[in-house]
Amino acid sequence: MQLASRLDDLGTETAFAVAAAAADWKAQGHEVYPFHLGDLDFPLAPHIVEAMNKAIADGKTTYCPGPGIPELRAALADDIGSRRGTSFAPENVTVMTGGKPVITKFVQAVMNPGDEVLYPNPGFPIYESQIEYHGGVAKAYRYLPTDTGFAIDLDQVRSLITDKTVAIIYNDLQNPISAESTQAEREAIAQLAIEHDLWVLSDEAYFEMRYEGESSSIATLPGMAERTVILYTFSKKFAMTGSRLGAAVAPVELSRVFSTMNTNDESCTTHYVQWAGIAALQGTQQPVQDMLQVLKGRRDAACEIVNSTPGMSVRVPKSTFYLFPDVTEAVELVGAKDLADFAEQALHNTGVSFCTRNHFGRPQEGEDRTYIRFAYSGLSEDRIREGLTGLKQWIESAR
């Protein structure tokens, strides 16, 4: 029996393939330092657990409204709007089972087969997967290294827009490279969207995962509220990765479409988890601040060691929990034939497991530097120092 041919265009989150190799190496009795997967090793805050358990005890285990329970939609509208210096109504909010469904439903709602959607590369691999799976043309735009990190190649973005382009996916505070737009860059993307009448998916999963400065949303710029969908997730800020709770904030007409999609796809988001989400938003934020302080220490430790390792360098990011170091010379030092070989050698010689640039989209023409990604969200500072020091010593020994 045959399967649908469109499955050939369905990608995956490639970090999980790296996780499988790391798990196999660990099963053979080796020490593994898992820098590959951006999960968090922080427990749910007690007040969130209490709210979830109470909701279960109170019978909040039934079906509930497809767009989310009214109380959570109102809480999200208030929180997301106030933190961005604007206002949203509950009708703008559609609750979903995490952030990923927002990507899928955005693509389904605004793109017809054959339409073009621009997306960041390196970037979260699900963007490209969902565009191509639903019959669209995925057009990648790149980032250029700068003195402070990475910047969108705006000239390339302009060159990619055609009369078939319907949307651009924009990930400020970006995974995997931790890039953050300047106000000028943000305004330039907004202007292109307005000029060419494009929808914008603003992936703001890491909007509040930052150590210095303040975040801004493209949705608040003039002319953008009516064309922008904000992707919101509880996974990062509240360490609720396994709870699967997120939301889309969109113009009302699109929110209604998302609600209908919810009804078709999963009926509703888990009822009692939504009550936990309300507690997360409205309860004490001290656990969030405590987690960010710990993550900042991990970032600083990782950057210190990476920047003292031969052939490796990275800018200290102000947000997310990823590093995207340049390892061009390190790959050469250990005699690796390519990035995949470098990653395998590193795992087998040091136990350090990580994703490479190639796990976040096909390399683009003209890329002459090589990068890897470290996620430091799931290891203690001591483990980070231990693992990366071992990696450093291995590379030093190859000189």
Side-chain angles (χ1 to χ4, degrees):
M1 297 176 68
Q2 291 186 337
L3 297 176
S5 59
R6 65 176 175 271
L7 291 172
D8 294 338
D9 295 319
L10 186 63
T12 187
E13 189 168 352
T14 47
F16 289 109
V18 180
D24 180 66
W25 187 244
K26 185 176 181 179
Q28 296 178 43
H30 302 285
E31 185 75 57
V32 170
Y33 301 91
F35 287 90
H36 52 267
L37 195 59
D39 204 351
L40 291 148
D41 63 344
F42 298 85
L44 275 182
H47 69 285
I48 299 176
V49 175
E50 181 181 348
M52 191 180 302
N53 289 338
K54 183 178 186 303
I56 293 172
D58 289 346
K60 309 296 187 184
T61 55
T62 58
Y63 287 126
C64 60
I69 59 175
E71 296 88 346
L72 179 56
R73 295 177 77 192
L76 281 164
D78 179 67
D79 187 84
I80 294 171
S82 63
R83 293 182 185 278
R84 288 157 179 77
T86 188
S87 61
F88 296 108
E91 292 75 21
N92 294 117
V93 178
T94 310
V95 177
M96 298 190 190
T97 54
K100 280 182 181 175
V102 180
I103 302 170
T104 300
K105 290 168 185 174
F106 172 82
V107 168
Q108 288 177 304
V110 308
M111 185 197 78
N112 288 310
D115 286 344
E116 298 171 352
V117 177
L118 278 56
Y119 72 99
N121 177 352
F124 191 46
I126 302 305
Y127 303 145
E128 180 183 29
S129 170
Q130 288 302 303
I131 295 165
E132 294 185 342
Y133 179 65
H134 289 99
V137 178
K139 300 184 75 172
Y141 63 87
R142 64 175 163 250
Y143 287 78
L144 302 173
T146 73
D147 291 340
T148 57
F150 295 91
I152 294 172
D153 186 343
L154 292 170
D155 289 337
Q156 187 198 34
V157 173
R158 293 185 185 96
S159 72
L160 291 172
I161 298 173
T162 73
D163 57 3
K164 293 184 178 181
T165 308
V166 296
I168 180 169
I169 297 176
Y170 172 64
N171 184 198
D172 205 352
L173 287 79
Q174 206 251 30
N175 172 21
I177 64 178
S178 295
E180 178 180 358
S181 285
T182 62
Q183 184 66 9
E185 182 177 271
R186 197 175 295 114
E187 290 174 355
I189 294 294
Q191 188 59 40
L192 286 171
I194 293 168
E195 286 178 7
H196 297 276
D197 196 23
L198 305 180
W199 286 102
V200 175
L201 175 61
S202 183
D203 185 342
E204 300 183 7
Y206 298 92
F207 191 85
E208 292 164 68
M209 301 301 294
R210 61 177 311 130
Y211 314 108
E212 296 98 23
E214 295 183 2
S215 298
S216 297
S217 174
I218 195 171
T220 64
L221 295 177
M224 292 305 293
E226 59 265 34
R227 66 180 64 254
T228 302
V229 175
I230 293 174
L231 183 158
Y232 180 90
T233 177
F234 287 78
S235 293
K236 317 304 179 188
K237 178 181 177 181
F238 299 110
M240 294 176 69
T241 53
S243 300
R244 308 315 304 142
L245 185 62
V249 182
V252 172
E253 65 271 21
L254 199 51
S255 284
R256 294 191 184 115
V257 173
F258 290 156
S259 176
T260 302
M261 288 177 169
N262 280 4
T263 302
N264 276 267
D265 288 350
E266 62 273 335
S267 293
C268 58
T269 300
T270 304
H271 195 168
Y272 54 84
V273 171
Q274 294 191 53
W275 288 96
I278 295 171
L281 292 168
Q282 297 182 343
T284 175
Q285 301 300 295
Q286 191 59 50
V288 176
Q289 298 306 313
D290 292 344
M291 179 174 68
L292 285 172
Q293 197 61 33
V294 172
L295 288 171
K296 184 177 185 292
R298 295 178 182 182
R299 178 203 66 176
D300 293 344
C303 286
E304 173 194 335
I305 299 171
V306 166
N307 283 324
S308 67
T309 300
M312 296 175 66
S313 63
V314 69
R315 301 293 180 184
V316 180
K318 296 180 180 179
S319 63
T320 79
F321 37 70
Y322 305 111
L323 301 183
F324 199 69
D326 185 326
V327 296
T328 307
E329 283 76 30
V331 172
E332 297 174 358
L333 280 172
V334 301
K337 59 186 179 184
D338 53 29
L339 268 177
D341 185 40
F342 178 70
E344 184 177 7
Q345 286 193 43
L347 176 64
H348 292 169
N349 283 280
T350 72
V352 173
S353 175
F354 51 80
C355 294
T356 73
R357 183 267 177 267
N358 298 341
H359 290 100
F360 300 98
R362 306 177 187 99
Q364 299 192 56
E365 184 178 351
E367 290 189 24
D368 59 358
R369 308 296 295 179
T370 53
Y371 299 87
I372 61 175
R373 189 198 74 170
F374 291 132
Y376 53 85
S377 54
L379 300 94
S380 68
E381 185 175 331
D382 287 345
R383 293 270 291 161
I384 288 170
R385 290 187 179 278
E386 184 178 297
L388 293 184
T389 297
L391 183 71
K392 175 183 176 179
Q393 291 171 345
W394 168 62
I395 293 173
E396 285 177 333
S397 70
R399 285 199 295 184

